[in-house]
Amino acid sequence: MTATRTILVSGDAAAPTVAAATALHAARQGRRTLLLAADDPHRTLDTVLGTRLEPEPTAWAPGLHVLRIDEQAAFRHTLGEIGGRLKPALDLLGADPLDPEELTALPGTSRLALLRALPAAEADVLVVLAPPPAELIATLALPEQVERYLARLVPEQRQAARALRPLLAGLAGVPMPADWLYEIRTKAADALAAARAAITAPGTSVRLVAGADGHPFEELRRIRSGLALHGHRPDAVVLHGVLPDAAADSPDPWLAGLARRRREELAQLTAASDVPVLATGPAEATLEAVADRLYGTGPGPVPLAPGPWTVEDRLAEDGLLVWHLALPGAERADLDLVRRGDELVVGLGAHRRILPLPSALRRCTVAGAGLQDGALAVRFAPDPALWPRG
């Protein structure tokens, strides 16, 4: 079975149209395609497709099925698993469990539902109408963050169970076994590992959508740096509402000037970007027309590997090891670095990631850092107390 090609389409109000056109294009090329609405509270994708999306796959075109994530069902399923483990303790406490009809999805449940849906998809191509970029970045970072919390709060070593047992019993006022905690931890760890594998698979990429008339270039730069911080790179940027070339020759001086400025901005973005820049006009008649305008008869953009993060050995030259982190789009003013034990905390604006240091760097002290052309170089000097002699 071939690996699933996953395209996470994220951006402004045109993202549903781009997602639908992308899925239609893949299906027209003979690939089994699934279009998934993961973030569409106003059912814009339903309007684009002219059909109501349901939690079960529905055939929309030859080779193309569409569906919507049922956030409520995902929340009830997850809480049901935990609730079953807690029921004996709740019974001892005299607490009444919540009925399924009482359960309402909590904030953040949509992220978990999307992560659960990605590894479960059965298709050659999975196109996801994803949350807006900032929330999508947070969703992609979630498995790594939760795995970290699990490792700290509920370590795999069973010795912690014996330590937690009297604490839980004291809080609850009744004897409480700790085995259930580890059963839940194992299930959560397995689900997180599956989600992380789907996110980091070579065939998974993000496709960004922005309006050509909104001067999106600074915003796109920040989005790219946030994705890069978490090891992701967009496979393309789609600009919609691009004026036709003929508008630059319009007798209307205002329209002609606007068209020329937009054309120059598009050329600058294309020249400065290391990912493909695609464009659609102000109004395409059909989804087929949007797909043709974006992708023609080819397969479309391919996933691009993120820039390498490597350790350069410069001990012989200047007594340093340098950790190079590719962060395209990052700017010095947004950058924040903190060494914390064997970890490096990297902040980029609103985004933050805790990176375990490579083993050699754990025996070093930070000697400085520099950011140039989207590449962060953190310099480390060997700590004489920890570095092997000779």
Side-chain angles (χ1 to χ4, degrees):
M1 181 177 179
T2 58
T4 299
R5 169 76 168 100
T6 301
I7 306 170
L8 302 164
V9 180
S10 176
D12 62 10
T17 299
V18 173
T22 301
L24 180 61
H25 174 75
R28 290 163 70 186
Q29 292 206 325
R31 292 178 285 178
R32 292 183 307 118
T33 304
L34 180 63
L35 174 59
L36 174 65
D39 187 86
D40 190 22
H42 304 296
R43 289 188 171 269
T44 307
L45 188 56
D46 297 35
T47 302
V48 170
L49 297 173
T51 188
R52 183 177 179 82
L53 275 65
E54 301 293 347
E56 295 298 324
T58 303
W60 189 82
L64 174 58
H65 285 72
V66 297
L67 67 87
R68 174 180 301 279
I69 287 182
D70 190 338
E71 184 180 338
Q72 292 286 351
F75 178 69
R76 289 170 183 157
H77 174 80
T78 302
L79 201 60
E81 288 185 339
I82 300 175
R85 301 295 180 184
L86 293 176
K87 188 177 185 303
L90 294 175
D91 290 343
L92 289 172
L93 292 171
D96 294 329
L98 293 171
D99 293 328
E101 293 76 15
E102 297 180 82
L103 299 176
T104 302
L106 298 175
T109 306
S110 59
R111 298 182 187 179
L112 298 175
L114 172 56
L115 293 174
R116 189 185 187 94
L118 290 180
E122 297 182 359
D124 298 329
V125 178
L126 171 64
V127 180
V128 181
L129 175 56
E135 186 172 344
L136 175 59
I137 294 171
T139 302
L140 296 176
L142 193 58
E144 179 180 290
Q145 293 172 342
V146 177
E147 285 176 348
R148 174 183 171 82
Y149 297 153
L150 284 177
R152 292 288 297 273
L153 301 177
V154 191
E156 291 186 7
Q157 292 80 5
R158 290 263 174 176
Q159 290 84 345
R162 290 193 291 271
L164 285 172
R165 189 190 303 267
L167 173 62
L168 293 173
L171 291 174
V174 297
M176 182 174 292
D179 287 346
W180 65 271
L181 188 64
Y182 285 87
E183 293 176 12
I184 293 174
R185 185 207 189 285
T186 299
K187 287 188 175 182
D190 291 344
L192 289 170
R196 195 170 183 181
I199 288 171
T200 59
T204 299
S205 61
V206 177
R207 196 159 299 173
L208 300 174
V209 182
D213 58 350
H215 303 284
F217 310 114
E218 187 64 18
E219 181 183 2
L220 287 171
R221 180 193 65 77
R222 293 193 180 96
I223 294 170
R224 286 203 58 198
S225 66
L227 286 169
L229 178 61
H230 294 285
H232 303 282
R233 183 181 179 188
D235 63 11
V237 171
V238 177
L239 294 182
H240 63 87
V242 175
L243 294 173
D245 292 340
D249 300 322
S250 170
D252 182 342
W254 180 85
L255 178 59
L258 177 64
R260 285 193 292 269
R261 288 195 303 273
R262 292 288 182 265
R263 187 164 60 186
E264 291 172 0
E265 290 172 348
L266 179 59
Q268 291 172 0
L269 177 63
T270 303
S273 178
D274 57 350
V275 301
V277 178
L278 311 177
T280 65
E284 308 288 354
T286 63
L287 281 179
E288 288 82 0
V290 176
D292 291 341
R293 174 74 181 268
L294 288 176
Y295 310 119
T297 59
V302 299
L304 300 173
W309 292 10
T310 58
V311 177
E312 179 188 2
D313 186 345
R314 285 171 34 190
L315 292 173
E317 295 86 346
D318 48 22
L320 295 174
L321 296 173
V322 183
W323 196 14
H324 296 279
L325 288 75
L327 297 175
E331 288 193 348
R332 197 182 307 271
D334 298 329
L335 185 63
D336 182 32
L337 295 175
V338 177
R339 168 77 180 268
R340 181 184 177 278
D342 290 341
E343 299 170 325
L344 184 68
V345 183
V346 184
L348 271 179
H351 308 293
R352 183 181 179 90
R353 187 180 182 187
I354 302 176
L355 301 170
L357 291 175
S359 58
L361 302 184
R362 297 175 187 176
R363 302 190 301 273
C364 301
T365 58
V366 176
L371 180 67
Q372 185 174 6
D373 298 329
L376 173 64
V378 186
R379 300 183 297 278
F380 291 82
D383 186 339
L386 301 175
W387 198 257
R389 295 182 181 276

